[in-house]
Structure formats: structure tokens, C-alpha cells
Amino acid sequence: MINKPYSRLSEIPSGSAEGPIIDGCLVLEGGAFRGLYTQGFLDVLMQAGLNMSHVVGVSAGALSGMNYVAGQIGRSARINLGFRHDDRYIGARALLHSGSVLDIGFLTEDRQVLEPLDEERFNRPGQTLIAVATNCLTGEPEYFEQSKCDDIALAVRASATMPYMSPMVDIGGIPYLDGGCSCKIPYEWALDKGFAKIVVVRTRDAGFRKDGREHKAAFKAYRDYPAFASRLAMSDVDYNRQCDEIERLHEEGALLRIAPSQPVEVSRLESDVEKLGELYWLGWRDAANKLDEMIDYLLGPKS
């Protein structure tokens, strides 16, 4: 039965990340529950003490990035695998509380239900989270930096709030939705900031591309937000362009692209926690196998 708890939940690693902060930018793709791959990967980085100074994430990437900056090994996975079938998160009570069957606020608000976020570690100097959300008035991505943002948790919530199924999130009188509507992989932010070390973590295998069709339903659903509708309609085309450019930059050595070593066969709202758990461990194994490559890239080859 798919509603049983994840059978290996107790095996998810725990603890606090140690080690110095490394100057560089970690770029995290979204993908809803496909983010379990990222969470496995990040847990290995934290276990190895690879703490990058900047983390820019979209949607599930922003949520995972919160836990990485907080240095809490396994927290993301324990929450998603442990609460996937809690209807306060996804289901009837989520709908009553948030107006959506998926309540991202369950993950970002302090309801004294989840493992507490280490606020002190999360807010320490030297490491910062950037959450990407889409401005529904302009259709453009906006980058909410933790050190410059009044409420980074609200920005993360906006970043992960899916179009079509959830109401917009108001930040300063402006409506926002999922950052993936306008920028599915925010590597360009890292390039523009001039980071010498950029690690992009995908949630699809390197060869994956979308069909590239225009989503005409966006114009009907968001007719009052024409700029947003236009951007959303062409988001798959833009995604394919980003994927192609990331591969080129990876080959040129301008960034390090990490992607699942096999095709990801889970849906965005996958309900089978065993499949989700397998995806977490895929990310964990891929990270373990690439750890020396990561260390060489970030710190230089071992002497």
C-alpha cells in the first residue's frame, strides 16, 4: 500500500554539517518531489563538510537549500518521506488551510510539527540562500537573498508554490508563484555574480528535455496576468535552452553539472514513498561516487 510509512526512514543520516565555508554557488533545480534526489546529494556534501557560501534554488531546490544552509543533515528527506501522506501537507486539511491541496506553508511555517529548523545556523554569517520566485505582474524571475529579504521563508514558499493548483503568494503587495515558471535552473544568476566555482544539481538526467510545446492553457488560467501567462506558456522551451547551455558550460569547465545517473521515474507529486526513498538514495550514491570530483573542483586536487 502506498500510504505506508517509508520503510527505511530510520536509515536517513542525521547530524550537523561541519567544516569551513567554501566560496562558490550551489544551483538547485526544482521538480517538486523529484527534489528527493537533491536532498540525498546535499546530505553527502554536508557529511563531507562541503559548505558552499551561496545557494540559489528554485521551488524544491529552494526548500532543500534551506536545510543545507541550516546544516541539518537528513532533515529535508525525513520531512518529505515522513509527512508525504499527512493531509496537512498534501490533502484535505492542506486545502482548507491554504486553498491548495499542496500546502508549502506546512514546510516553511513554524507549526511545531516538523523537526525544527536550526535558525541560529541558518542565519549565521558567511552562507546565504537565494530563493527564486516569479513575479506574476512582470513574468520575470526575482531573486530573494536571505541577507536582504525581510522574510526568506515566505520567499521560499512563493518559490515552491505551483501554478494552476495554488493561489499566488503576496510579498510586499506583489503576487508571486513558482520560480520555475520563469527560470527552472537559476545558473545564470551565479554566472552573472561572477562565481569561480558553480555547481548545478539537476533533478533530471543530463539528456532529458521537455517536448517544447507552448502551454496555451496558461493564457486562459492567467488571463489577468498576461506577462506571466506568456512566460509560463514558453517555460518548457526556455528549460530546454537552459539544459543545452548548462551542458555546454559543463564541457567548457565553466561550471560543474551534477545530474541523476539514471532517468528519474517519479512524478512531481509522487505518492509512492518507496520510489521517493529510492530517489533519495540515488542522489546519495551519486554524490558519494562524485565526492572526489567535487572536492577537486571546489578545493583543488589532493597533493
Side-chain angles (χ1 to χ4, degrees):
M1 291 178 62
I2 62 173
N3 288 342
K4 288 183 178 179
Y6 176 51
S7 60
R8 298 179 61 189
L9 192 62
S10 63
E11 298 178 36
I12 302 296
S14 60
S16 298
E18 298 181 355
I21 296 173
I22 302 166
D23 185 43
C25 189
L26 186 60
V27 179
L28 305 179
E29 182 179 358
F33 279 100
R34 289 192 287 270
L36 263 299
Y37 177 84
T38 303
Q39 291 157 27
F41 201 96
L42 295 184
D43 280 352
V44 172
L45 296 193
M46 288 190 280
Q47 288 176 303
L50 298 179
N51 306 297
M52 297 183 70
S53 62
H54 292 73
V55 184
V56 57
V58 168
S59 193
L63 289 162
S64 299
M66 285 188 74
N67 295 289
Y68 176 79
V69 173
Q72 289 175 270
I73 300 168
R75 182 177 184 266
S76 285
R78 282 190 294 275
I79 288 172
N80 281 300
L81 293 172
F83 288 87
R84 171 59 184 85
H85 295 299
D86 190 312
D87 69 355
R88 292 169 295 182
Y89 182 16
I90 303 175
R93 283 193 285 177
L95 182 62
L96 288 172
H97 184 270
S98 69
S100 171
V101 294
L102 171 63
D103 184 5
I104 295 300
F106 181 76
L107 305 180
T108 60
E109 298 168 2
D110 182 8
R111 301 187 192 175
Q112 299 182 333
V113 174
L114 308 179
E115 180 180 336
L117 186 74
D118 185 341
E119 297 280 356
E120 183 177 357
R121 169 67 180 260
F122 181 67
N123 292 305
R124 71 173 179 166
Q127 241 183 334
T128 191
L129 173 69
I130 301 93
V132 187
T134 303
N135 183 319
C136 295
L137 301 181
T138 66
E140 295 297 317
E142 292 191 11
Y143 302 85
F144 292 89
E145 294 190 44
Q146 180 181 353
S147 59
K148 303 175 182 179
C149 178
D150 291 336
D151 190 343
I152 188 62
L154 183 62
V156 169
R157 178 181 170 186
S159 178
T161 297
M162 295 183 185
Y164 300 114
M165 64 182 296
S166 302
M168 297 173 180
V169 176
D170 183 281
I171 302 177
I174 296 174
Y176 290 89
L177 277 173
D178 195 322
C181 299
S182 57
C183 177
K184 294 185 185 299
I185 315 173
Y187 67 97
E188 291 162 308
W189 183 90
L191 291 172
D192 290 344
K193 295 295 182 182
F195 287 101
K197 303 293 184 180
I198 301 171
V199 178
V200 178
V201 181
R202 301 282 316 280
T203 54
R204 290 284 200 178
D205 63 274
F208 176 83
R209 299 293 184 275
K210 294 180 179 288
D211 60 24
R213 290 182 296 176
E214 181 180 7
H215 293 280
K216 295 184 178 181
F219 295 102
K220 182 177 181 180
Y222 296 105
R223 57 183 175 274
D224 294 333
Y225 299 90
F228 174 77
S230 295
R231 193 63 179 264
L232 179 59
M234 299 304 295
S235 60
D236 285 359
V237 174
D238 190 53
Y239 175 75
N240 291 344
R241 176 194 63 78
Q242 288 188 316
C243 292
D244 291 342
E245 185 170 15
I246 287 169
E247 290 306 301
R248 176 180 63 79
L249 293 168
H250 175 73
E251 292 298 324
E252 293 173 356
L255 53 77
L256 178 63
R257 182 267 299 137
I258 302 295
S261 56
Q262 62 190 56
V264 174
E265 304 293 346
V266 303
S267 65
R268 297 180 74 196
L269 293 180
E270 181 64 58
S271 61
D272 187 337
V273 292
E274 297 303 317
K275 288 179 66 175
L276 293 175
E278 289 172 7
L279 184 57
Y280 169 84
W281 290 113
L282 175 65
W284 196 97
R285 289 192 302 272
D286 282 357
N289 291 334
K290 290 182 174 291
L291 192 55
D292 286 344
E293 181 183 0
M294 290 281 298
I295 291 171
D296 287 352
Y297 178 73
L298 294 174
L299 303 177
K302 296 177 181 176
S303 58

